[in-house]
mmCIF file of all heavy atoms in Angstrom:
data_model
loop_
_atom_site.group_PDB
_atom_site.id
_atom_site.type_symbol
_atom_site.label_atom_id
_atom_site.label_comp_id
_atom_site.label_asym_id
_atom_site.label_seq_id
_atom_site.Cartn_x
_atom_site.Cartn_y
_atom_site.Cartn_z
ATOM 1 N N LEU H 492 42.399 87.555 80.012
ATOM 2 C CA LEU H 492 43.198 87.039 81.129
ATOM 3 C C LEU H 492 44.681 87.205 80.819
ATOM 4 O O LEU H 492 45.107 87.100 79.674
ATOM 5 C CB LEU H 492 42.885 85.573 81.390
ATOM 6 C CG LEU H 492 41.433 85.224 81.731
ATOM 7 C CD1 LEU H 492 41.299 83.726 81.963
ATOM 8 C CD2 LEU H 492 40.958 86.011 82.957
ATOM 9 N N ARG H 493 45.484 87.434 81.873
ATOM 10 C CA ARG H 493 46.929 87.588 81.678
ATOM 11 C C ARG H 493 47.672 86.937 82.827
ATOM 12 O O ARG H 493 47.198 86.901 83.965
ATOM 13 C CB ARG H 493 47.291 89.065 81.580
ATOM 14 C CG ARG H 493 46.892 89.885 82.776
ATOM 15 C CD ARG H 493 46.744 91.356 82.414
ATOM 16 N NE ARG H 493 48.018 92.037 82.223
ATOM 17 C CZ ARG H 493 48.164 93.118 81.452
ATOM 18 N NH1 ARG H 493 47.119 93.596 80.779
ATOM 19 N NH2 ARG H 493 49.335 93.700 81.340
ATOM 20 N N PRO H 494 48.854 86.383 82.542
ATOM 21 C CA PRO H 494 49.651 85.769 83.605
ATOM 22 C C PRO H 494 50.426 86.829 84.372
ATOM 23 O O PRO H 494 50.813 87.866 83.820
ATOM 24 C CB PRO H 494 50.599 84.848 82.837
ATOM 25 C CG PRO H 494 50.824 85.564 81.544
ATOM 26 C CD PRO H 494 49.521 86.271 81.225
ATOM 27 N N LEU H 495 50.648 86.581 85.646
ATOM 28 C CA LEU H 495 51.549 87.404 86.445
ATOM 29 C C LEU H 495 52.538 86.487 87.113
ATOM 30 O O LEU H 495 52.159 85.573 87.859
ATOM 31 C CB LEU H 495 50.779 88.233 87.487
ATOM 32 C CG LEU H 495 51.593 89.341 88.156
ATOM 33 C CD1 LEU H 495 51.845 90.478 87.148
ATOM 34 C CD2 LEU H 495 50.887 89.872 89.395
ATOM 35 N N TRP H 496 53.812 86.692 86.815
ATOM 36 C CA TRP H 496 54.914 85.854 87.326
ATOM 37 C C TRP H 496 55.455 86.495 88.580
ATOM 38 O O TRP H 496 55.783 87.685 88.605
ATOM 39 C CB TRP H 496 55.968 85.772 86.242
ATOM 40 C CG TRP H 496 57.247 85.055 86.533
ATOM 41 C CD1 TRP H 496 57.573 83.772 86.198
ATOM 42 C CD2 TRP H 496 58.424 85.591 87.164
ATOM 43 N NE1 TRP H 496 58.862 83.478 86.589
ATOM 44 C CE2 TRP H 496 59.402 84.595 87.191
ATOM 45 C CE3 TRP H 496 58.741 86.842 87.719
ATOM 46 C CZ2 TRP H 496 60.676 84.773 87.738
ATOM 47 C CZ3 TRP H 496 59.990 87.039 88.273
ATOM 48 C CH2 TRP H 496 60.952 86.002 88.297
ATOM 49 N N THR H 497 55.547 85.747 89.672
ATOM 50 C CA THR H 497 56.106 86.298 90.910
ATOM 51 C C THR H 497 56.921 85.221 91.615
ATOM 52 O O THR H 497 56.689 84.025 91.452
ATOM 53 C CB THR H 497 55.023 86.771 91.887
ATOM 54 O OG1 THR H 497 54.414 85.648 92.544
ATOM 55 C CG2 THR H 497 53.938 87.579 91.190
ATOM 56 N N TYR H 498 57.906 85.685 92.373
ATOM 57 C CA TYR H 498 58.487 84.787 93.371
ATOM 58 C C TYR H 498 58.888 85.582 94.607
ATOM 59 O O TYR H 498 59.185 86.774 94.529
ATOM 60 C CB TYR H 498 59.635 83.929 92.819
ATOM 61 C CG TYR H 498 60.975 84.589 92.587
ATOM 62 C CD1 TYR H 498 61.807 84.916 93.650
ATOM 63 C CD2 TYR H 498 61.462 84.772 91.297
ATOM 64 C CE1 TYR H 498 63.060 85.448 93.445
ATOM 65 C CE2 TYR H 498 62.718 85.310 91.082
ATOM 66 C CZ TYR H 498 63.511 85.659 92.165
ATOM 67 O OH TYR H 498 64.763 86.189 91.945
ATOM 68 N N ALA H 499 58.821 84.901 95.748
ATOM 69 C CA ALA H 499 59.133 85.522 97.035
ATOM 70 C C ALA H 499 60.369 84.881 97.617
ATOM 71 O O ALA H 499 60.634 83.683 97.429
ATOM 72 C CB ALA H 499 57.950 85.334 97.996
ATOM 73 N N HIS H 500 61.156 85.687 98.331
ATOM 74 C CA HIS H 500 62.329 85.153 99.027
ATOM 75 C C HIS H 500 61.887 84.507 100.343
ATOM 76 O O HIS H 500 61.198 85.117 101.150
ATOM 77 C CB HIS H 500 63.324 86.281 99.320
ATOM 78 C CG HIS H 500 64.062 86.727 98.101
ATOM 79 N ND1 HIS H 500 64.945 87.791 98.103
ATOM 80 C CD2 HIS H 500 64.068 86.265 96.832
ATOM 81 C CE1 HIS H 500 65.451 87.946 96.885
ATOM 82 N NE2 HIS H 500 64.932 87.033 96.114
ATOM 83 N N VAL H 501 62.285 83.256 100.505
ATOM 84 C CA VAL H 501 61.915 82.455 101.678
ATOM 85 C C VAL H 501 63.163 81.685 102.147
ATOM 86 O O VAL H 501 64.161 81.650 101.441
ATOM 87 C CB VAL H 501 60.799 81.453 101.333
ATOM 88 C CG1 VAL H 501 59.522 82.166 100.908
ATOM 89 C CG2 VAL H 501 61.254 80.475 100.260
ATOM 90 N N PRO H 502 63.105 81.068 103.321
ATOM 91 C CA PRO H 502 64.247 80.262 103.778
ATOM 92 C C PRO H 502 64.486 79.081 102.838
ATOM 93 O O PRO H 502 63.536 78.511 102.272
ATOM 94 C CB PRO H 502 63.831 79.780 105.173
ATOM 95 C CG PRO H 502 62.814 80.766 105.618
ATOM 96 C CD PRO H 502 62.083 81.170 104.373
ATOM 97 N N LEU H 503 65.736 78.701 102.692
ATOM 98 C CA LEU H 503 66.096 77.560 101.863
ATOM 99 C C LEU H 503 65.383 76.303 102.369
ATOM 100 O O LEU H 503 65.416 75.992 103.564
ATOM 101 C CB LEU H 503 67.603 77.349 101.906
ATOM 102 C CG LEU H 503 68.232 76.491 100.841
ATOM 103 C CD1 LEU H 503 68.104 77.116 99.477
ATOM 104 C CD2 LEU H 503 69.699 76.236 101.168
ATOM 105 N N GLY H 504 64.691 75.615 101.468
ATOM 106 C CA GLY H 504 63.997 74.391 101.835
ATOM 107 C C GLY H 504 62.607 74.598 102.405
ATOM 108 O O GLY H 504 61.947 73.620 102.795
ATOM 109 N N SER H 505 62.114 75.821 102.428
ATOM 110 C CA SER H 505 60.788 76.099 103.005
ATOM 111 C C SER H 505 59.690 75.388 102.198
ATOM 112 O O SER H 505 59.704 75.389 100.966
ATOM 113 C CB SER H 505 60.507 77.595 103.009
ATOM 114 O OG SER H 505 59.152 77.859 103.262
ATOM 115 N N ASP H 506 58.720 74.814 102.923
ATOM 116 C CA ASP H 506 57.570 74.205 102.236
ATOM 117 C C ASP H 506 56.313 75.041 102.412
ATOM 118 O O ASP H 506 55.198 74.583 102.167
ATOM 119 C CB ASP H 506 57.327 72.775 102.741
ATOM 120 C CG ASP H 506 57.005 72.703 104.233
ATOM 121 O OD1 ASP H 506 56.909 73.784 104.871
ATOM 122 O OD2 ASP H 506 56.877 71.586 104.750
#
Side-chain angles (χ1 to χ4, degrees):
L492 301 180
R493 58 204 285 154
L495 193 71
W496 175 99
T497 77
Y498 75 73
H500 286 176
V501 298
L503 197 66
S505 166
D506 61 3

